[in-house]
Each structure stands twice: as structure tokens, then as C-alpha cells.
Amino acid sequence: MFSKQLILAFLASSVTLVSAHYTFPALLVNGAATGNWHITTQHHYIVDFRHLTIYTGDRRPRARISAATPPRPEPLLKLPPLPAGSTIGFRSDDPIYHDGVLNIYMAKAPGSAANFDGSGNVWFKVHEISAVTNGGRSISFPATNLRDVTFTIPRSLPSGEYLVRIEHIALHSASSFQGAQFYISCAQINVTGGGNGTPGPLVSFPGAYNGREPGIQINIYYPIPTQYIQPGPAVWRG
């Protein structure tokens, strides 16, 4: 598989990096965490963990990395089955200390997730943590200070292998275009015992955001926003 040094070299040549902060190195399955960037005969999950400044609107490598998935490793060992209805999520190595909002997306691989790069309109949102406003008197961010972020896989989700993408959108410098910072990780899971649901709406990465959405380019300090519009499509709950 790709070595850590190779991944870091590829990222350094392809994206605009700033100093690393919190990352999401562990997948949570029914409350239990995998090891950080853990690879065993049973698990091989996280493949991207950098703090990135968003860049969208073209198809250059840095847009690809910042908005979708990183370079693929060699084919994985067989992923352990994860029944639909299970609770999964991500654990941060440090508390999420920037104010911002959070989304989790999934994309069904046409076959093995190991050979799927997430291209096309295939991503649907399964979880979000938005901001809380009260008409301009205050704004708060429930995702701040979290270590664990979890959600339940809808029971009607069709069985198969999926990519799972978490993004925390830090908004402390988001008053100007491209000032929002995206903290992204990606995992691979194998869902079993699913149903016949039709996840959607579907979006692509890059493409889901242009960087000028009111929830991405926003001054959260003054004037205090009277409302907050979460970036991305509605959550699919099955």
C-alpha cells in the first residue's frame, strides 16, 4: 500500500496545506474505536487526514483531494460485515476546537470500495451538526469540543461497500472567499443486511460546494448571523 511518506509527499505537491490541527484517525463501530490509521487482517479504514483549505471549481488534483478522497491504497483485505442499523462514526485525535459545522457523507462503491475513488454524483449526506442561532442575538456551534461523532446507518440502506466521508468546516476565518477550512477523513465500510432504500439527493466532490455558499463564506462574529444555512444537501435518513 502507499506509505505514509508517499501520501504526505503527494498531498504536499497537490494541495495548499496549513499547520495540522485535529484529525479524525479512528473509525467508531458501535462505540468501539479502531486504532489510529489502523491496518490489520480485519481493518483498513482511514486514508486521508490532512487539514486543508478548500479549493473547488476545477478538476486539478488539489480540488480532488480537498473535496473528495485521497490516493487509493492497494486493494483491501475483506472488510468485516457491518449490519445496517449499526452506529458508526469518527474519533478526533484532539477535540474539535475551531467553531464550525460538520457533515458526514456516504457513497456506494460499484464493487470493492478499495478500487472506488468516489467520482460522480454518488455522495449522499447521512449526518450533520449545524450551528444554532436565535435571530442575531447569538450563534453557537454544537460540534465544538467534540471528540466522537456518531450516527446510525439507516436500516433501509442497500447492502454493499461504501466510502464514508467526514468533514468539519471551520468557520473562524470564513468571512472571505476560501477562508473556510475543511478537516476531512475517509473510511471504508461493508454494510450487510440492508434494505431497498434509495439514498439521495446525490452530489459530487468536487462540485457539491463552490465556496461561496452562505454557510461556507460567512462572518460568524459581526454582525452575528440571524440564521445559518448548512452546506450540502438534506440528510438522508432512510
Side-chain angles (χ1 to χ4, degrees), residues 45-185:
Y45 291 115
I46 310 301
V47 288
D48 187 21
F49 55 96
R50 303 304 297 171
H51 166 206
L52 304 169
T53 298
I54 184 173
Y55 190 95
T56 59
D58 65 22
R59 305 294 293 188
R60 285 179 286 179
R62 63 176 180 173
R64 183 57 142 179
I65 296 297
S66 67
T69 56
R72 305 305 303 166
E74 293 177 0
L76 304 183
L77 298 170
K78 185 175 178 61
L79 295 173
L82 188 61
S86 299
T87 297
I88 68 169
F90 292 84
R91 174 168 291 170
S92 175
D93 53 0
D94 286 309
I96 296 172
Y97 54 80
H98 286 314
D99 285 339
V101 297
L102 187 143
N103 292 317
I104 297 180
Y105 291 87
M106 294 180 66
K108 191 175 190 299
S112 169
N115 301 313
F116 181 47
D117 67 359
S119 297
N121 290 322
V122 295
W123 295 91
F124 55 96
K125 190 190 292 185
V126 289
H127 186 65
E128 66 182 19
I129 303 177
S130 191
V132 177
T133 62
N134 61 359
R137 293 188 299 275
S138 68
I139 183 170
S140 60
F141 299 93
T144 303
N145 294 321
L146 290 183
R147 286 288 303 273
D148 293 355
V149 179
T150 62
F151 70 98
T152 300
I153 298 174
R155 293 186 181 277
S156 60
L157 184 71
S159 299
E161 294 190 13
Y162 288 81
L163 299 181
V164 188
R165 176 186 189 273
I166 186 173
E167 61 181 27
H168 182 253
I169 310 174
L171 300 173
H172 59 291
S173 300
S175 59
S176 60
F177 179 56
Q178 296 184 12
Q181 298 171 353
F182 280 49
Y183 296 72
I184 302 171
S185 280

